[in-house]
Amino acid sequence: SASSHHPFSVPERYNGRFPKGDMPIHQCIGYSDYALRRFFQAMSKYQWYENTLFVFSADHTNQVSHKEYTTDVGTFSIPIFFYQPGSKMKGLERSLTQQIDVLPSVLGYLNYDKSYFAFGNDVITQRDTDRYVVNYSNQIYQIFQGDLMLQFDGERVKSVYDYRNDRMLKHDLKDRMPQQKRMEDLLKANIQQYMVRMVNNDLTVK
């Protein structure tokens, strides 16, 4: 993790071992890939390995090679992967997912049956076609649902995009999509719940 941040250096003994690509981060990603491979080689020797669910998530994006990752959508596009040796969890899932989905996903996978509080969703065992994602950047709230992304400044809707088909966000669909009001209300509800619960220290099950 530390190597894939500025100044993008790898341990001295690995200098020149990985392709440098066309950006400083590329060599570091090669090293990170190698480090993960070594990690799993080491962990696989322990008895608890087969019974462990491994979860990896990036915390944010970094240097990018493709323009679509410079947009308000692309800057939040990160990998999250779940892995249990020998399980049926294989393949790429492109449904809407966010970092706060990790907790309910792990608990769902473990068949945890007690009450808990979470804003996220179980993305492993539940296939919710109405799933949504919320994030915040540069004084703008964003909610993603289906193919749409709505931007909200805290008072009014700023824009709406079909982010899956308009990856560079060139065509604003504000006031032209029937889902806009529902998405706006859902976003406001999430903001209200989060703010009130933070102020009242109410983020646990009573």
Side-chain angles (χ1 to χ4, degrees):
S1 176
S3 65
S4 53
H5 290 70
H6 185 271
F8 302 110
S9 59
V10 300
E12 188 173 337
R13 62 182 169 142
Y14 293 109
N15 274 333
R17 180 165 178 173
F18 308 103
K20 292 186 180 296
D22 55 10
M23 304 186 78
I25 196 174
H26 287 165
Q27 176 182 220
C28 302
I29 297 305
Y31 168 70
S32 297
D33 184 61
Y34 171 77
L36 279 173
R37 189 177 301 114
R38 292 291 305 274
F39 170 79
F40 279 110
Q41 287 172 350
M43 296 303 102
S44 65
K45 298 176 182 177
Y46 291 92
Q47 290 184 344
W48 45 259
Y49 177 71
E50 295 288 339
N51 297 320
T52 300
L53 175 65
F54 296 89
V55 183
F56 290 85
S57 172
D59 55 346
H60 58 76
T61 55
N62 209 306
Q63 293 184 328
V64 296
S65 301
H66 305 284
K67 288 184 178 179
E68 61 263 32
Y69 290 104
T70 64
T71 69
D72 291 330
V73 175
T75 55
F76 288 95
S77 297
I78 62 167
I80 299 177
F81 73 83
F82 300 86
Y83 172 66
Q84 182 186 3
S87 74
K88 295 181 180 180
M89 286 194 296
K90 296 180 180 179
L92 179 63
E93 175 61 59
R94 295 188 179 276
S95 61
L96 286 168
T97 307
Q98 56 191 330
Q99 290 153 324
I100 60 173
D101 293 334
V102 170
L103 170 66
S105 298
V106 170
L107 293 179
Y109 189 71
L110 296 176
N111 295 312
Y112 184 80
D113 61 359
K114 296 180 175 59
S115 298
Y116 67 91
F117 180 91
F119 277 104
N121 299 283
D122 176 356
V123 299
I124 297 179
T125 64
Q126 296 179 358
R127 289 290 178 261
D128 185 355
T129 57
D130 208 27
R131 188 180 299 152
Y132 63 91
V133 162
V134 174
N135 51 46
Y136 178 77
S137 179
N138 297 320
Q139 312 300 312
I140 297 294
Y141 296 93
Q142 299 185 146
I143 182 169
F144 298 75
Q145 191 171 41
D147 294 334
L148 298 182
M149 182 265 280
L150 178 146
Q151 295 181 315
F152 178 73
D153 67 2
E155 295 184 3
R156 62 184 64 85
V157 174
K158 300 290 290 183
S159 53
V160 176
Y161 296 101
D162 179 353
Y163 73 94
R164 292 192 191 274
N165 300 302
D166 178 18
R167 300 192 70 176
M168 294 307 298
L169 308 183
K170 293 182 177 180
H171 307 289
D172 190 352
L173 302 175
K174 179 183 175 183
D175 299 329
R176 287 189 279 167
M177 304 303 291
Q179 306 98 310
Q180 177 176 320
K181 183 63 169 63
R182 182 175 183 275
M183 290 177 68
E184 179 185 355
D185 289 345
L186 185 59
L187 177 58
K188 287 178 178 177
N190 273 261
I191 295 170
Q192 182 185 49
Q193 281 287 312
Y194 178 78
M195 296 299 185
V196 170
R197 289 178 178 276
M198 284 293 289
V199 169
N200 295 324
N201 194 25
D202 191 23
L203 289 165
T204 58
V205 174
K206 301 300 184 185

